[in-house]
Amino acid sequence: MTSNVPSSAPYTDYPLPESLCYLNGRYGRVCDTQVSVMDRGFIFGDGVYEVLPAYNGRVFCFEQHMARLDRSLQALRIPNPLSREEWQSIARRLIDDLSQNTGAADQLIYIQVTRGVAPRDHVMLPGLKPTVYVMASEMKLASTAQREHGVACVTADDFRWKKADIKATSLLGAVFARQISADADALETVMFRDGMLSEAAASNVWVVKNGVVAGPPKDNLVLEGIRFGLIERICRADGIPFELRPIGRAEVLAADELLLSSATKEVLPITQLDGKAVGTGQPGPVYARLYAGYQAVKAAECA
């Protein structure tokens, strides 16, 4: 039986990048690369991912990202298919290619590993060969206006599953959460589970009160962002008190400063939450110190 759909038919009205990517040992262009429809990542979202920032052609916090990738893979019982050296080699080639073709100095390396291709069965079938996909894209950092004036966010109940500590590809919950803020013309959705702060749709959230930086505890309800350790490191170096503990909604609403952190946001101030000013309504002094510290670490590690 023949198909009525030509093999070259586009799958989207949005143009796909022509940049280089890696799939299962081979390099090709993103716009041409395909995986099996029976891949468990496609059928079940049965896989994990990592997003590594690269500045000036050098991957930032590589070891920390690889350690988190290992943790996520172990949680899903998927063997890590590549060594540290192989992951780094792939990233290096993709970074160089994108830099040569676009001039992009700051990039994101996206890694995805799924359980592999198999007949559809909910059981974690043993012995499958993991599917490995890696691509590079230009990193869009926060704008000057966002840094000078801060950003608006909204709040919502955290309706996602209770294994948020796994950086899994099944991100429908995060998609819904992010859409809440998009519909409100806000940058992020700050979420609460049973009245306690968890995280944002695609960021970690930090509360500043009386000069102390606080974040929620590391547990199964929060993805431990790479910036957890980095922000603690910056705080310790600059003499800023830092703590991880349960944080209630009332404490968030009464904060002097609220901050977002992620690979692309780095550290970013929230100055409006649910239409109300956070603190003075302007980026605060602790944000300024953390952002300066962040840039210093970047300069030291990615010069």
Side-chain angles (χ1 to χ4, degrees), residues 166-187:
I166 302 172
K167 200 168 178 67
T169 58
S170 46
L171 286 171
L172 190 56
V175 169
F176 272 107
R178 179 63 184 89
Q179 192 60 42
I180 291 171
S181 53
D183 290 343
D185 197 26
L187 185 71

Side-chain angles (χ1 to χ4, degrees), residues 230-242 289-290 293 297:
L230 182 56
I231 287 176
E232 180 176 10
R233 172 181 163 190
I234 295 169
C235 284
R236 302 302 185 206
D238 199 24
I240 301 171
F242 175 92
R289 292 167 67 184
L290 290 179
V297 174

Side-chain angles (χ1 to χ4, degrees), residues 5 16 37 105:
V5 180
L16 298 178
V37 294

Side-chain angles (χ1 to χ4, degrees), residues 176-257:
F176 272 107
R178 179 63 184 89
Q179 192 60 42
I180 291 171
S181 53
D183 290 343
D185 197 26
L187 185 71
E188 259 287 21
T189 304
V190 176
M191 294 183 286
F192 298 86
R193 194 186 296 267
D194 299 325
M196 307 304 291
L197 175 66
S198 55
E199 55 191 351
S203 317
N204 290 122
V205 182
W206 304 92
V207 176
V208 181
K209 188 70 175 181
N210 298 325
V212 179
V213 175
K218 300 176 185 179
D219 58 22
N220 62 297
L221 302 180
V222 174
L223 177 68
E224 183 184 338
I226 301 303
R227 271 128 291 275
F228 260 70
L230 182 56
I231 287 176
E232 180 176 10
R233 172 181 163 190
I234 295 169
C235 284
R236 302 302 185 206
D238 199 24
I240 301 171
F242 175 92
E243 56 189 26
L244 299 180
R245 56 175 176 77
I247 300 171
R249 183 184 182 94
E251 188 174 353
V252 173
L253 299 180
D256 296 331
E257 300 178 46

Side-chain angles (χ1 to χ4, degrees), residues 80-99:
N80 192 327
L82 299 176
S83 66
R84 290 281 204 278
E85 292 74 20
E86 289 170 320
W87 285 119
Q88 197 160 49
S89 176
I90 294 167
R92 175 79 271 155
R93 178 166 176 181
L94 297 182
I95 289 169
D96 289 346
D97 180 81
L98 189 64
S99 179

Side-chain angles (χ1 to χ4, degrees), residues 1-295:
M1 184 174 69
T2 60
S3 170
N4 293 324
V5 180
S7 60
S8 60
Y11 294 100
T12 175
D13 291 333
Y14 298 94
L16 298 178
E18 297 183 1
S19 53
L20 194 67
C21 67
Y22 172 97
L23 177 65
N24 295 336
R26 296 184 178 183
Y27 291 90
R29 298 296 163 184
V30 172
C31 54
D32 299 324
T33 300
Q34 300 177 11
V35 297
S36 169
V37 294
M38 295 305 291
D39 192 284
R40 287 179 63 96
F42 176 70
I43 295 291
F44 294 121
D46 186 3
V48 303
Y49 73 103
E50 267 297 327
V51 182
L52 292 71
Y55 302 100
N56 298 318
R58 298 185 63 181
V59 178
F60 186 55
C61 293
F62 175 79
E63 288 299 328
Q64 292 90 330
H65 280 282
M66 288 293 100
R68 187 172 63 180
L69 177 63
D70 283 339
R71 293 195 299 271
S72 295
L73 287 169
Q74 289 169 8
L76 266 63
R77 305 184 195 177
I78 298 174
N80 192 327
L82 299 176
S83 66
R84 290 281 204 278
E85 292 74 20
E86 289 170 320
W87 285 119
Q88 197 160 49
S89 176
I90 294 167
R92 175 79 271 155
R93 178 166 176 181
L94 297 182
I95 289 169
D96 289 346
D97 180 81
L98 189 64
S99 179
Q100 291 170 8
N101 285 285
T102 69
D106 299 335
Q107 301 181 22
L108 292 175
I109 304 300
Y110 176 85
I111 292 173
Q112 179 167 308
V113 182
T114 76
R115 197 173 305 279
V117 177
R120 189 180 185 278
D121 188 332
H122 285 76
V123 174
M124 297 179 180
L125 300 174
L128 299 183
K129 182 179 180 181
T131 296
V132 179
Y133 176 70
V134 190
M135 67 177 179
S137 60
E138 185 172 1
M139 177 161 44
K140 297 180 180 179
L141 294 169
S143 68
T144 300
Q146 288 175 322
R147 299 217 170 275
E148 290 180 348
H149 303 294
V151 298
C153 294
V154 295
T155 63
D157 289 334
D158 193 341
F159 45 76
R160 304 166 306 157
W161 73 328
K162 293 185 178 181
K163 289 188 178 291
D165 56 318
I166 302 172
K167 200 168 178 67
T169 58
S170 46
L171 286 171
L172 190 56
V175 169
F176 272 107
R178 179 63 184 89
Q179 192 60 42
I180 291 171
S181 53
D183 290 343
D185 197 26
L187 185 71
E188 259 287 21
T189 304
V190 176
M191 294 183 286
F192 298 86
R193 194 186 296 267
D194 299 325
M196 307 304 291
L197 175 66
S198 55
E199 55 191 351
S203 317
N204 290 122
V205 182
W206 304 92
V207 176
V208 181
K209 188 70 175 181
N210 298 325
V212 179
V213 175
K218 300 176 185 179
D219 58 22
N220 62 297
L221 302 180
V222 174
L223 177 68
E224 183 184 338
I226 301 303
R227 271 128 291 275
F228 260 70
L230 182 56
I231 287 176
E232 180 176 10
R233 172 181 163 190
I234 295 169
C235 284
R236 302 302 185 206
D238 199 24
I240 301 171
F242 175 92
E243 56 189 26
L244 299 180
R245 56 175 176 77
I247 300 171
R249 183 184 182 94
E251 188 174 353
V252 173
L253 299 180
D256 296 331
E257 300 178 46
L258 292 176
L259 310 173
L260 298 170
S261 67
S262 71
T264 55
K265 299 176 186 68
E266 300 184 338
V267 185
L268 191 63
I270 302 172
T271 50
Q272 188 179 97
L273 187 65
D274 288 340
K276 298 180 180 179
V278 175
T280 64
Q282 293 294 322
V286 173
Y287 159 70
R289 292 167 67 184
L290 290 179
Y291 180 67
Y294 199 108
Q295 302 314 301

